[in-house]
Coordinates of all heavy atoms in Angstrom, one line a residue:
T8 N 86.9 126.3 99.0 CA 87.5 126.5 97.7 C 89.0 126.1 97.6 O 89.5 126.1 96.5 CB 87.4 128.0 97.3 OG1 88.1 128.8 98.4 CG2 86.0 128.5 97.2
K9 N 89.6 125.8 98.7 CA 90.9 125.3 98.7 C 91.0 124.0 98.0 O 90.2 123.1 98.2 CB 91.5 125.2 100.1 CG 91.8 126.5 100.7 CD 92.5 126.3 102.0 CE 92.8 127.7 102.6 NZ 93.5 127.5 103.9
T10 N 92.0 123.8 97.1 CA 92.1 122.6 96.4 C 93.5 122.0 96.7 O 94.4 122.7 97.0 CB 92.0 122.8 94.9 OG1 93.0 123.7 94.4 CG2 90.6 123.3 94.5
M11 N 93.5 120.7 96.5 CA 94.8 120.0 96.7 C 95.0 119.0 95.6 O 94.1 118.2 95.3 CB 94.8 119.2 98.0 CG 96.2 118.5 98.3 SD 96.3 117.7 99.8 CE 96.2 119.0 101.0
E12 N 96.1 119.1 94.9 CA 96.4 118.2 93.8 C 97.4 117.2 94.4 O 98.2 117.5 95.2 CB 97.1 118.9 92.6 CG 96.2 119.8 91.8 CD 96.9 120.3 90.7 OE1 97.2 119.6 89.7 OE2 97.3 121.5 90.7
S13 N 97.3 115.9 93.9 CA 98.2 114.9 94.4 C 98.5 114.0 93.3 O 97.7 113.6 92.5 CB 97.5 114.1 95.5 OG 98.3 113.1 96.0
V14 N 99.8 113.6 93.2 CA 100.2 112.6 92.2 C 101.2 111.7 92.9 O 102.1 112.1 93.6 CB 101.0 113.4 91.0 CG1 101.6 112.4 90.1 CG2 100.0 114.2 90.3
V15 N 101.1 110.4 92.6 CA 102.0 109.4 93.1 C 102.6 108.7 91.9 O 101.9 108.2 91.0 CB 101.3 108.4 94.0 CG1 102.2 107.3 94.5 CG2 100.6 109.1 95.2
S16 N 103.9 108.6 91.8 CA 104.6 107.9 90.8 C 105.3 106.7 91.4 O 106.1 107.0 92.3 CB 105.5 108.8 90.1 OG 106.3 108.1 89.1
V17 N 105.0 105.5 91.0 CA 105.6 104.4 91.6 C 106.4 103.6 90.6 O 105.9 103.3 89.5 CB 104.6 103.5 92.3 CG1 105.2 102.3 92.9 CG2 103.7 104.2 93.3
K18 N 107.6 103.2 91.0 CA 108.4 102.3 90.2 C 109.0 101.3 91.2 O 110.0 101.6 91.9 CB 109.6 103.0 89.5 CG 110.5 102.0 88.7 CD 111.6 102.7 88.1 CE 112.6 101.7 87.5 NZ 113.8 102.3 87.0
K19 N 108.3 100.2 91.4 CA 108.7 99.3 92.4 C 109.3 98.1 91.8 O 108.8 97.5 90.8 CB 107.5 98.8 93.3 CG 106.9 99.8 94.2 CD 105.8 99.2 95.0 CE 105.3 100.3 95.9 NZ 104.2 99.8 96.7
S20 N 110.4 97.7 92.4 CA 111.1 96.4 92.0 C 111.0 95.6 93.2 O 111.1 96.1 94.3 CB 112.5 96.7 91.5 OG 112.5 97.4 90.4
Q21 N 111.0 94.3 93.0 CA 111.0 93.4 94.1 C 112.4 93.4 94.8 O 113.4 93.2 94.1 CB 110.6 92.0 93.7 CG 110.3 91.0 94.8 CD 109.7 89.8 94.2 OE1 109.4 89.7 93.1 NE2 109.6 88.8 95.1
L22 N 112.4 93.8 96.1 CA 113.7 93.9 96.7 C 114.3 92.6 97.1 O 115.5 92.4 97.3 CB 113.5 94.8 98.0 CG 113.4 96.2 97.8 CD1 113.2 97.0 99.1 CD2 114.6 96.8 97.1
C23 N 113.5 91.6 97.3 CA 114.0 90.3 97.8 C 113.6 89.2 96.8 O 112.5 89.2 96.3 CB 113.4 89.9 99.2 SG 113.9 91.1 100.4
D24 N 114.4 88.2 96.7 CA 114.2 87.1 95.8 C 113.2 86.1 96.6 O 113.6 85.6 97.7 CB 115.5 86.4 95.5 CG 115.3 85.2 94.5 OD1 114.2 84.9 94.2 OD2 116.3 84.7 94.1
N25 N 112.0 85.9 96.1 CA 111.1 85.0 96.8 C 111.6 83.6 97.1 O 111.2 83.0 98.0 CB 109.7 85.0 96.0 CG 109.0 86.3 96.0 OD1 109.1 87.0 97.0 ND2 108.2 86.5 95.0
D26 N 112.4 83.1 96.2 CA 112.9 81.7 96.4 C 113.8 81.6 97.6 O 114.0 80.6 98.2 CB 113.6 81.2 95.2 CG 112.7 81.1 94.0 OD1 111.5 80.9 94.2 OD2 113.2 81.2 92.8
H27 N 114.5 82.7 98.0 CA 115.5 82.7 99.0 C 115.1 83.5 100.2 O 115.8 83.4 101.3 CB 116.8 83.2 98.5 CG 117.3 82.4 97.3 ND1 117.2 82.8 96.0 CD2 118.0 81.2 97.3 CE1 117.7 81.9 95.2 NE2 118.2 80.9 96.0
S28 N 114.1 84.3 100.2 CA 113.8 85.2 101.3 C 112.8 84.5 102.3 O 112.0 83.7 102.0 CB 113.2 86.5 100.9 OG 112.0 86.3 100.3
S29 N 113.0 84.9 103.6 CA 112.1 84.5 104.6 C 111.0 85.6 104.8 O 110.9 86.5 104.0 CB 112.8 84.2 105.9 OG 113.4 85.4 106.3
S30 N 110.2 85.5 105.8 CA 109.2 86.5 106.1 C 109.9 87.8 106.5 O 109.3 88.9 106.5 CB 108.2 86.1 107.1 OG 108.9 85.8 108.3
D31 N 111.2 87.8 106.8 CA 111.9 89.0 107.2 C 112.3 89.7 106.0 O 113.2 89.3 105.2 CB 113.2 88.5 108.0 CG 114.0 89.7 108.5 OD1 113.5 90.9 108.3 OD2 115.1 89.5 108.9
Q32 N 111.8 90.9 105.8 CA 112.1 91.7 104.6 C 113.5 92.3 104.6 O 114.0 92.8 103.6 CB 111.1 92.9 104.5 CG 109.7 92.5 104.1 CD 109.6 91.9 102.8 OE1 110.2 92.3 101.8 NE2 108.9 90.8 102.6
N33 N 114.2 92.2 105.7 CA 115.5 92.7 105.8 C 116.6 91.6 105.6 O 117.7 91.7 106.0 CB 115.8 93.4 107.1 CG 114.9 94.6 107.3 OD1 114.6 95.3 106.3 ND2 114.5 94.9 108.5
S34 N 116.2 90.5 105.0 CA 117.0 89.4 104.8 C 118.2 89.7 103.9 O 118.1 90.6 103.0 CB 116.2 88.3 104.1 OG 117.0 87.2 103.7
D35 N 119.3 89.1 104.1 CA 120.5 89.3 103.3 C 120.4 88.9 101.9 O 121.2 89.2 101.1 CB 121.7 88.6 104.0 CG 122.2 89.2 105.2 OD1 121.9 90.5 105.4 OD2 122.8 88.6 106.1
S36 N 119.3 88.1 101.6 CA 119.1 87.7 100.2 C 118.5 88.8 99.3 O 118.3 88.6 98.1 CB 118.3 86.5 100.1 OG 117.0 86.8 100.6
C37 N 118.3 90.0 99.9 CA 117.7 91.0 99.1 C 118.7 91.6 98.1 O 119.9 91.6 98.4 CB 117.3 92.2 100.1 SG 115.9 91.8 101.1
S38 N 118.2 91.9 97.0 CA 119.0 92.4 95.9 C 119.1 93.9 95.9 O 118.4 94.6 96.7 CB 118.5 91.9 94.5 OG 117.2 92.6 94.3
N39 N 119.9 94.5 95.0 CA 120.1 95.9 94.9 C 119.3 96.5 93.8 O 119.7 97.5 93.2 CB 121.6 96.3 94.7 CG 122.4 96.0 96.0 OD1 121.8 96.1 97.1 ND2 123.6 95.5 95.8
Q40 N 118.1 96.0 93.5 CA 117.3 96.5 92.4 C 116.7 97.9 92.9 O 116.6 98.1 94.1 CB 116.1 95.5 92.1 CG 116.6 94.2 91.6 CD 115.4 93.3 91.3 OE1 114.3 93.7 91.4 NE2 115.7 92.1 91.0
T41 N 116.4 98.7 91.9 CA 115.9 100.0 92.2 C 114.5 100.0 92.7 O 113.7 99.4 92.2 CB 116.0 100.9 90.9 OG1 117.3 100.9 90.4 CG2 115.5 102.3 91.1
L42 N 114.3 100.8 93.8 CA 113.0 101.0 94.4 C 112.8 102.5 94.4 O 113.6 103.2 94.8 CB 112.9 100.4 95.8 CG 111.7 100.9 96.6 CD1 110.5 100.1 96.2 CD2 112.0 100.7 98.1
L43 N 111.7 102.9 93.8 CA 111.4 104.3 93.8 C 109.9 104.6 93.8 O 109.1 104.0 93.1 CB 112.0 105.0 92.5 CG 111.7 106.5 92.4 CD1 112.4 107.3 93.6 CD2 112.2 107.0 91.1
E44 N 109.5 105.4 94.8 CA 108.1 105.9 94.9 C 108.2 107.3 95.2 O 108.8 107.7 96.2 CB 107.4 105.1 96.0 CG 105.9 105.5 96.1 CD 105.2 104.7 97.2 OE1 105.5 103.5 97.4 OE2 104.3 105.2 97.8
I45 N 107.5 108.1 94.4 CA 107.5 109.6 94.6 C 106.1 110.0 94.7 O 105.3 109.7 93.8 CB 108.2 110.3 93.4 CG1 109.7 109.9 93.3 CG2 108.1 111.8 93.6 CD1 110.4 110.5 92.1
E46 N 105.8 110.8 95.7 CA 104.4 111.3 95.9 C 104.6 112.8 96.1 O 105.5 113.3 96.8 CB 103.8 110.7 97.2 CG 102.5 111.3 97.5 CD 101.9 110.8 98.8 OE1 102.6 110.0 99.4 OE2 100.8 111.2 99.2
A47 N 103.8 113.6 95.4 CA 103.8 115.1 95.5 C 102.3 115.5 95.7 O 101.4 115.1 95.0 CB 104.4 115.7 94.2
R48 N 102.2 116.4 96.6 CA 100.9 117.0 96.9 C 101.1 118.5 96.9 O 102.0 119.0 97.4 CB 100.3 116.6 98.2 CG 100.0 115.1 98.3 CD 99.5 114.8 99.7 NE 99.3 113.4 99.9 CZ 98.2 112.7 99.8 NH1 97.1 113.4 99.6 NH2 98.1 111.4 99.9
V49 N 100.1 119.2 96.3 CA 100.2 120.7 96.2 C 98.9 121.3 96.7 O 97.8 120.8 96.4 CB 100.4 121.1 94.7 CG1 100.3 122.6 94.6 CG2 101.7 120.6 94.2
S50 N 99.1 122.3 97.6 CA 97.9 123.0 98.1 C 98.3 124.5 98.1 O 99.2 124.9 98.8 CB 97.6 122.6 99.5 OG 96.5 123.4 100.1
N51 N 97.7 125.3 97.2 CA 98.1 126.7 97.0 C 99.5 126.7 96.6 O 99.9 126.1 95.6 CB 97.7 127.5 98.2 CG 96.2 127.6 98.5 OD1 95.4 127.5 97.6 ND2 95.9 127.6 99.8
K52 N 100.4 127.4 97.4 CA 101.8 127.4 97.0 C 102.7 126.5 97.8 O 103.9 126.5 97.7 CB 102.3 128.9 97.2 CG 101.7 129.9 96.2 CD 102.8 130.9 95.9 CE 102.3 131.7 94.7 NZ 103.2 131.6 93.6
D53 N 102.0 125.6 98.6 CA 102.7 124.6 99.4 C 102.9 123.3 98.7 O 101.9 122.9 98.0 CB 102.0 124.4 100.8 CG 102.0 125.7 101.6 OD1 103.0 126.4 101.6 OD2 100.9 125.9 102.2
V54 N 104.0 122.7 98.8 CA 104.3 121.4 98.1 C 104.8 120.4 99.2 O 105.7 120.7 99.9 CB 105.3 121.6 97.0 CG1 105.5 120.2 96.3 CG2 104.9 122.6 96.0
L55 N 104.2 119.2 99.2 CA 104.7 118.1 100.0 C 105.2 117.1 99.1 O 104.5 116.6 98.2 CB 103.6 117.6 100.9 CG 103.9 116.3 101.7 CD1 104.9 116.6 102.8 CD2 102.6 115.8 102.4
I56 N 106.4 116.7 99.3 CA 107.1 115.6 98.4 C 107.5 114.5 99.4 O 108.2 114.8 100.4 CB 108.3 116.2 97.7 CG1 107.8 117.4 96.8 CG2 108.9 115.1 96.8 CD1 109.0 118.1 96.2
R57 N 107.2 113.3 99.0 CA 107.6 112.1 99.8 C 108.2 111.2 98.8 O 107.7 110.8 97.8 CB 106.4 111.5 100.5 CG 106.8 110.5 101.6 CD 105.6 110.1 102.4 NE 105.2 111.2 103.2 CZ 103.9 111.6 103.3 NH1 103.0 110.9 102.7 NH2 103.5 112.6 104.1
I58 N 109.5 110.8 99.1 CA 110.2 109.9 98.3 C 110.6 108.6 99.1 O 111.2 108.8 100.1 CB 111.5 110.5 97.7 CG1 111.1 111.8 96.9 CG2 112.3 109.6 96.8 CD1 112.3 112.7 96.5
H59 N 110.3 107.4 98.6 CA 110.8 106.2 99.1 C 111.8 105.6 98.1 O 111.4 105.4 96.9 CB 109.6 105.2 99.3 CG 108.6 105.6 100.3 ND1 107.8 104.7 100.9 CD2 108.2 106.8 100.7 CE1 107.0 105.4 101.7 NE2 107.2 106.6 101.6
C60 N 113.0 105.4 98.5 CA 114.0 104.9 97.5 C 115.0 104.1 98.3 O 115.0 103.9 99.5 CB 114.7 106.1 96.9 SG 115.5 107.2 98.0
E61 N 116.0 103.6 97.5 CA 117.1 102.8 98.0 C 118.0 103.8 98.8 O 118.1 104.9 98.4 CB 117.9 102.2 96.9 CG 117.4 101.0 96.2 CD 118.4 100.5 95.2 OE1 119.6 100.8 95.3 OE2 117.9 99.9 94.2
R62 N 118.5 103.3 99.8 CA 119.4 104.1 100.7 C 120.7 104.3 99.9 O 121.3 103.4 99.4 CB 119.7 103.3 101.9 CG 119.5 104.1 103.2 CD 119.4 103.1 104.3 NE 120.2 103.6 105.4 CZ 120.3 102.9 106.5 NH1 119.8 101.7 106.6 NH2 121.0 103.4 107.5
Q63 N 121.1 105.6 99.8 CA 122.3 105.9 99.1 C 123.0 107.1 99.9 O 122.3 108.1 100.2 CB 122.1 106.4 97.7 CG 121.5 105.4 96.8 CD 121.2 106.0 95.4 OE1 121.5 107.1 95.1 NE2 120.5 105.2 94.6
K64 N 124.3 107.0 100.1 CA 125.0 108.0 100.8 C 125.0 109.3 100.0 O 125.3 109.3 98.8 CB 126.4 107.5 101.0 CG 127.2 108.5 101.9 CD 128.6 107.9 102.2 CE 129.4 108.8 103.1 NZ 130.7 108.3 103.5
G65 N 124.6 110.4 100.7 CA 124.6 111.7 100.1 C 123.5 112.0 99.2 O 123.4 113.1 98.6
F66 N 122.5 111.1 99.0 CA 121.4 111.3 98.1 C 120.5 112.4 98.5 O 120.0 113.2 97.7 CB 120.6 110.0 97.9 CG 119.5 110.1 97.0 CD1 119.7 110.2 95.6 CD2 118.2 110.2 97.5 CE1 118.6 110.3 94.7 CE2 117.1 110.3 96.6 CZ 117.3 110.4 95.2
T67 N 120.2 112.5 99.8 CA 119.3 113.5 100.3 C 119.7 114.9 99.9 O 118.9 115.7 99.5 CB 119.1 113.4 101.8 OG1 118.6 112.1 102.1 CG2 118.0 114.4 102.3
V68 N 121.0 115.2 100.1 CA 121.5 116.5 99.8 C 121.4 116.8 98.3 O 121.0 117.9 97.9 CB 123.0 116.6 100.3 CG1 123.6 117.9 99.8 CG2 123.1 116.5 101.8
K69 N 121.7 115.8 97.5 CA 121.6 116.0 96.1 C 120.1 116.3 95.6 O 119.9 117.1 94.8 CB 122.1 114.8 95.3 CG 123.6 114.6 95.5 CD 124.1 113.3 94.9 CE 125.6 113.1 95.1 NZ 126.0 111.8 94.6
I70 N 119.2 115.5 96.2 CA 117.8 115.7 95.8 C 117.2 117.0 96.3 O 116.5 117.6 95.5 CB 116.9 114.5 96.2 CG1 115.6 114.4 95.4 CG2 116.5 114.5 97.7 CD1 115.8 113.9 94.0
L71 N 117.7 117.5 97.4 CA 117.2 118.8 97.9 C 117.7 119.9 97.0 O 117.0 120.8 96.7 CB 117.7 119.0 99.3 CG 117.0 118.2 100.4 CD1 117.6 118.5 101.8 CD2 115.5 118.4 100.4
D72 N 119.0 119.8 96.5 CA 119.5 120.7 95.6 C 118.8 120.7 94.3 O 118.4 121.8 93.8 CB 121.0 120.4 95.3 CG 121.7 121.4 94.5 OD1 121.6 122.6 94.7 OD2 122.4 121.0 93.5
E73 N 118.4 119.6 93.8 CA 117.6 119.5 92.6 C 116.2 120.0 92.7 O 115.7 120.7 91.8 CB 117.5 118.0 92.1 CG 118.9 117.5 91.6 CD 119.5 118.2 90.4 OE1 118.7 118.6 89.5 OE2 120.7 118.4 90.4

Side-chain angles (χ1 to χ4, degrees):
T8 59
K9 287 186 179 179
T10 60
M11 183 179 295
E12 288 184 74
S13 179
V14 172
V15 178
S16 174
V17 180
K18 178 185 175 186
K19 289 185 180 177
S20 296
Q21 193 168 349
L22 285 178
C23 298
D24 184 356
N25 286 335
D26 294 334
H27 298 100
S28 67
S29 63
S30 61
D31 180 11
Q32 289 296 318
N33 295 327
S34 169
D35 288 335
S36 65
C37 291
S38 68
N39 290 325
Q40 295 178 11
T41 301
L42 166 76
L43 178 63
E44 180 178 330
I45 300 174
E46 176 184 0
R48 295 177 187 259
V49 174
S50 178
N51 297 325
K52 291 216 170 242
D53 298 320
V54 182
L55 173 66
I56 301 168
R57 196 169 291 131
I58 302 171
H59 296 206
C60 60
E61 283 182 27
R62 230 162 137 181
Q63 297 177 8
K64 187 175 183 177
F66 179 74
T67 302
V68 173
K69 292 175 185 175
I70 201 75
L71 290 176
D72 185 47
E73 292 298 321

